[in-house]
Amino acid sequence: MVPLPPLFAAPPTVYAVGGAYVVCVPVTAECTMWVECAGTVSYDHANGILRSGRPVHLASVPRGVLDSARSYSVHLRPIVERKPYFTETGEVQSFETAFRPVEPRDGVLRLLNVPDTHSFVDGAVSAAERLGRTPDMLVLCGDIPEDCGSAERMTVPHLIAGRITGGEYPAVFARGNHDLRGVYAEQYADLTPTEGGRSYHEFRLGPVWGLVLDTGEDKRDDCREYGWTVCCEAFREEEERWLRETLARGAPADAKFRLVACHNPFAFRIHPPFDIEGPRWTRWCAMLAPLGFQAMVTGHLHECWLEAPGGEHDTYGAPCPVVCSSLLDRDAGTYTCGWVEIGEDGAVAVEFVDQDGKIRGREALPAPSAREP
Ligand SMILES: [Fe+2]
């Protein structure tokens, strides 16, 4: 890999959000940012003002343009002193890379599911690097920083995704409950790819159509831990209205792969005080079930398993096979994530990969037509 210019805290990440890509890069000092792709220039700006005083930059790039160009460059201009007149700037620093759109081979989508890193950046990056295989896409599946109590912590998802992908293939980010904690969590939409500020959205990646869902906090809003700073019940109600409208449109006809990414495997009722929203999860499962999703990738439980509907972790009627793939022991420096293979026919296979790239377990489900009733 070409050495990273010093303003880049990590290589960029190309996130899929709605019908677009959002190129995102964490930075080491104040700068402005723009992306060039096949003659199209996309800026990180606010109503024509190039944004600078931020640890993360984002610019939206048309998906078709980048998929055709298969390369792009990110540019950062350091700010020496930003003033109303005659702002002082430094030399532009640039990073250029090839890009590979999602084009699954042999009818199989290969993805790396990385949940519950809880700020253990090196463990997650090491698992991906030492595994020695490149997936079609990365899923950052929530609880990526331990909390959002500082601006630096908001860069953790982009440090991990940038270092794993090198900016060369796409990612999606599903928020977890720890991503809601700390004063910077309210700036999520400013420092993380979202659709119009929403943390839940659809995405398209070639033949893949997916939903990123967000179950918010994992206990009731009046839990003392939150100190009256969350309204996740209202948030989930808004999300449910969006989900109903989105699913009413049906899956795109050309979506060979249908995927849900959600931190919380919400079909499973956890013990109190985490046993919230049972009726809502029952409704969400029932709404999702007819759409033919081949898999839901999750984390949250810090466990590793793959289950068909009706499995041990299915309380509310799981709409499709569910993958949970995270184990973390920060004291021991160990972390496990999931290499997931999803067939067009609905067969699902998972390998649980540790920080040394070793396979700690394998599970597989045949296509639905071949499963036990
Ligand atoms: Fe977690």
Side-chain angles (χ1 to χ4, degrees):
M1 190 189 291
V2 182
L4 209 54
L7 269 177
F8 289 76
T13 301
V14 178
Y15 290 100
V17 179
Y21 287 132
V22 177
V23 177
C24 175
V25 63
V27 298
T28 57
E30 186 171 359
C31 57
T32 58
M33 175 265 205
W34 65 99
V35 178
E36 288 184 32
C37 180
T40 299
V41 182
S42 307
Y43 296 94
D44 182 2
H45 77 107
N47 296 302
I49 310 296
L50 292 181
R51 305 198 296 178
S52 57
R54 56 189 45 254
V56 174
H57 282 280
L58 310 158
S60 185
V61 176
R63 185 161 53 91
V65 171
L66 181 48
D67 282 353
S68 301
R70 303 177 84 91
S71 68
Y72 65 99
S73 54
V74 178
H75 308 276
L76 303 178
R77 187 191 304 277
I79 299 287
V80 177
E81 187 179 1
R82 189 155 190 164
K83 300 182 279 193
Y85 301 95
F86 303 104
T87 287
E88 294 173 41
T89 61
E91 286 272 308
V92 173
Q93 299 180 18
S94 301
F95 177 86
E96 187 173 356
T97 182
F99 178 76
R100 198 188 61 242
V102 171
E103 295 167 336
R105 291 163 286 129
D106 319 320
V108 177
L109 173 70
R110 296 164 177 86
L111 66 88
L112 190 67
N113 184 42
V114 175
D116 298 298
T117 52
H118 292 269
S119 296
F120 188 26
V121 175
D122 289 344
V125 172
S126 173
E129 284 180 349
R130 297 195 186 185
L131 179 63
R133 302 179 218 159
T134 306
D136 296 309
M137 60 182 288
L138 170 70
V139 179
L140 281 186
C141 213
D143 284 9
I144 303 302
E146 171 60 16
D147 61 58
C148 297
S150 69
E152 290 68 35
R153 293 226 160 165
M154 298 303 284
T155 68
V156 168
H158 315 308
L159 293 175
I160 292 175
R163 285 175 60 187
I164 289 178
T165 66
E168 295 177 2
Y169 59 91
V172 295
F173 182 18
R175 192 174 70 154
N177 47 300
H178 282 256
D179 302 297
L180 280 78
R181 295 177 186 167
V183 69
Y184 282 86
E186 68 192 56
Q187 296 186 31
Y188 183 86
D190 224 22
L191 300 170
T192 313
T194 63
E195 185 155 48
R198 286 191 279 101
S199 55
Y200 49 87
H201 57 81
E202 293 175 81
F203 66 88
R204 272 315 295 262
L205 286 168
V208 182
W209 171 66
L211 299 178
V212 166
L213 299 182
D214 183 351
T215 59
E217 268 298 357
D218 60 351
K219 298 175 283 296
R220 286 168 50 103
D221 287 352
D222 59 5
C223 174
R224 288 188 61 197
E225 201 174 285
Y226 309 141
W228 309 108
T229 61
V230 302
C231 59
C232 287
E233 285 152 33
F235 168 76
R236 288 186 286 262
E237 184 64 26
E238 285 173 25
E239 182 175 354
E240 185 168 327
R241 282 197 291 275
W242 165 86
L243 184 61
R244 187 172 288 113
E245 288 167 15
T246 300
L247 296 179
R249 291 195 293 273
D254 59 347
K256 293 180 181 166
F257 300 92
R258 303 173 186 193
L259 181 67
V260 179
C262 184
H263 175 68
N264 179 0
F266 55 81
F268 176 55
R269 182 178 58 226
I270 310 174
H271 59 81
F274 307 102
D275 56 339
I276 61 169
E277 295 275 31
R280 187 182 308 284
W281 306 144
T282 303
R283 290 195 299 274
W284 286 24
C285 288
M287 280 194 283
L288 290 163
L291 274 288
F293 289 97
Q294 288 125 325
M296 179 188 296
V297 294
T298 73
H300 190 48
L301 302 177
H302 296 218
E303 296 174 356
C304 290
W305 44 265
L306 163 67
E307 286 180 9
E312 188 186 332
H313 295 86
D314 184 3
T315 315
Y316 301 122
C320 62
V322 180
V323 176
C324 183
S325 63
S326 70
L327 281 179
L328 171 66
D329 184 338
R330 271 171 298 188
D331 294 335
T334 58
Y335 173 72
T336 297
C337 56
W339 175 274
V340 185
E341 298 193 351
I342 301 167
E344 268 185 58
D345 61 359
V348 183
V350 189
E351 293 175 313
F352 303 108
V353 183
D354 77 7
Q355 73 290 335
D356 295 324
K358 289 192 184 128
I359 307 300
R360 293 291 173 181
R362 289 185 173 85
E363 295 191 32
L365 285 170
S369 56
R371 283 180 208 151
E372 298 281 326

